[in-house]
Amino acid sequence: MRFSNSRVAMAALGVLLITACNRDKKPEGAGAGGGAGDKTIALLLPETKTARYESHDRPLFERKVKALCPECQVIYSNADQNAAKQQDQAEAALTNGARVLVLDPVDSASASAIVARAKQSKIPVISYDRLIVNADVDYYISFDNEKVGKLQGQALVDKLRKDGKTSGTLVMINGSPTDNNAKLFKAGAHSVIDGSGFTVGAEYDTPDWSPDKAQQQMEQSITRFGKADIIGVYAANDGTAGGAIAAMKAAGVTPLPPVTGQDAELAGIQRVVSGEQYMTVYKAIKPEAETAAELAVTLLRGQQPEAGKLNAKVPNGKKDVPSILLAPVVVTKDTVKSTVVADGFWTPAQICVGAYQQACQAAQLQ
Ligand code: GAL
């Protein structure tokens, strides 16, 4: 992956994309192969077991499109982690008049067929959050995903060293093997863990990012290594972390070893506050979703974003895709307040319900 030196100031980017829209004043839909009235954007998201898509990505995207283009329509579909279903949803969106596809693929490889189909109709495709490989995608908006894995791996190794651990087993629970991001998270984590002196005793990919499957994988590890020997768990996201923690609690593992996560989803943040999960990675979905919405409206209007505002070119096997990559942030108990709460991602009132009230007070969230 290649990155340019400068990180984009997202607010400035938003202004520039809108400025580009206003300045060019081409007829709507001009570059998208349609006539007047072509004001439909499709947002195709991959799954529902991970909370972010329905709680953040979708509403933020739809709201931004409405603000920029009140007469625009968004066709929204969620594929429930089924690549064939996503293919059908994309086909239906095109049939129903979508002039731009914003596609977060279930399967980063097979989604190239969706891109080829869209391109036949001269419909631009934005690869959203996950890179579609070997395909003629127009833009890619995501986070520095290898960095996500590095942050997770480093946080785990640092915590183990701080706790004075020198021996014992790590378990790695990676994401879905069809998700290009999962490959990057895994590579990033390995780049830190492999040279750390700690041993990975077992490692799994988790089909569909399923928390239930992660739980089974963790049960297998506990059976294999025994309760006391597992000193840390690399879990690629909060859903899989939740599965691993449930398995350890059911087996009576005390104290729980440090477990990583990602997404800062509400259940993950609550576990971080209560100490069940050591860390998560916060990815600010607002700028990601809103930038995708701005770009989609720009393309719908037959315009181009200003080239200098893209901050990376990411090779996908077919081309160097003009990209916007955002920076992920580590969250531990000590930084919940200064990260996700300060950013308005979750409020203390949302986090500190029921059994979490006491832990919230200790973490000075309330
Ligand atoms: C990844 C995404 C993560 C997480 C995961 C499970 O591609 O970057 O934020 O949501 O999928 O859906």
Side-chain angles (χ1 to χ4, degrees):
M1 212 182 270
R2 285 194 273 121
F3 305 100
S4 68
N5 288 335
S6 63
R7 286 262 164 231
V8 171
M10 297 314 300
L13 177 76
V15 171
L16 284 155
L17 286 172
I18 298 162
T19 311
C21 292
N22 293 339
R23 204 191 41 211
D24 290 348
K25 291 256 186 288
K26 283 187 201 155
E28 307 245 325
D38 293 332
K39 291 183 176 138
T40 306
I41 295 166
L43 175 65
L44 303 162
L45 296 184
E47 59 133 324
T48 51
K49 283 184 184 167
T50 299
R52 58 169 283 185
Y53 302 110
E54 298 294 329
S55 71
H56 286 87
D57 296 83
R58 176 190 183 178
L60 287 165
F61 183 91
E62 289 181 337
R63 216 173 294 147
K64 192 67 178 180
V65 169
K66 273 280 162 253
L68 294 173
C69 178
E71 68 282 14
C72 285
Q73 298 292 325
V74 175
I75 297 176
Y76 173 70
S77 305
N78 189 305
D80 292 317
Q81 203 51 255
N82 180 333
K85 184 171 174 181
Q86 189 164 59
Q87 179 108 29
D88 292 346
Q89 290 174 336
E91 190 65 51
L94 292 170
T95 306
N96 289 320
R99 292 293 178 264
V100 178
L101 295 192
V102 179
L103 172 58
D104 188 341
V106 172
D107 184 322
S108 298
S110 72
S112 63
I114 298 176
V115 179
R117 166 68 189 84
K119 287 302 169 126
Q120 273 171 6
S121 306
K122 300 196 167 50
I123 304 296
V125 180
I126 300 168
S127 191
Y128 182 70
D129 198 73
R130 299 177 183 171
L131 185 63
I132 304 161
V133 299
N134 296 315
D136 185 18
V137 290
D138 295 87
Y139 297 97
Y140 171 48
I141 298 179
S142 188
F143 289 81
D144 179 344
N145 291 302
E146 197 160 337
K147 175 99 184 278
V148 171
K150 281 187 186 159
L151 292 175
Q152 293 169 317
Q154 195 65 57
L156 183 59
V157 165
D158 288 350
K159 170 73 176 149
L160 293 171
R161 287 189 180 136
K162 191 168 153 237
D163 290 350
K165 301 283 179 201
T166 49
S167 62
T169 301
L170 295 186
V171 174
M172 286 187 76
I173 298 182
N174 302 304
S176 164
T178 65
D179 176 354
N180 190 63
N181 281 353
K183 294 191 181 92
L184 298 171
F185 303 147
K186 184 169 158 177
H190 269 293
S191 75
V192 177
I193 292 171
D194 291 357
S196 69
F198 293 108
T199 310
V200 178
E203 176 164 12
Y204 307 85
D205 288 337
T206 310
D208 301 343
W209 285 97
S210 161
D212 298 346
K213 285 177 193 143
Q215 187 166 346
Q216 288 161 15
Q217 290 161 349
M218 197 63 217
E219 282 163 9
Q220 281 173 28
S221 294
I222 296 167
T223 306
R224 186 164 153 204
F225 300 108
K227 279 199 272 194
D229 219 42
I230 298 169
I231 54 166
V233 178
Y234 168 86
N237 78 347
D238 290 341
T240 50
I245 290 167
M248 289 191 281
K249 283 169 78 175
V253 175
T254 41
L256 289 169
V259 179
T260 65
Q262 171 186 189
D263 286 337
E265 64 179 48
L266 187 55
I269 288 292
Q270 287 170 328
R271 286 192 299 265
V272 168
V273 169
S274 71
E276 284 186 341
Q277 181 175 324
Y278 175 59
M279 63 84 77
T280 184
V281 174
Y282 171 50
K283 301 189 298 190
I285 297 171
K286 194 165 193 268
E288 186 185 29
E290 292 189 343
T291 304
E294 285 159 6
L295 187 51
V297 170
T298 301
L299 297 176
L300 189 77
R301 292 176 169 157
Q303 298 157 1
Q304 301 293 316
E306 288 182 14
K309 302 308 145 197
L310 301 154
N311 71 349
K313 287 218 179 255
V314 180
N316 77 339
K318 180 154 183 111
K319 64 193 280 196
D320 285 348
V321 184
S323 302
I324 297 168
L325 296 182
L326 306 169
V329 173
V330 169
V331 182
T332 58
K333 196 192 282 200
D334 296 340
T335 59
V336 167
K337 196 172 182 177
S338 61
T339 56
V340 288
V341 171
D343 221 16
F345 195 68
W346 299 116
T347 63
Q350 289 170 311
I351 301 167
C352 304
V353 290
Y356 296 104
Q357 275 171 20
Q358 232 181 337
C360 274
Q361 272 159 19
Q364 297 188 326
L365 281 182
Q366 278 192 321

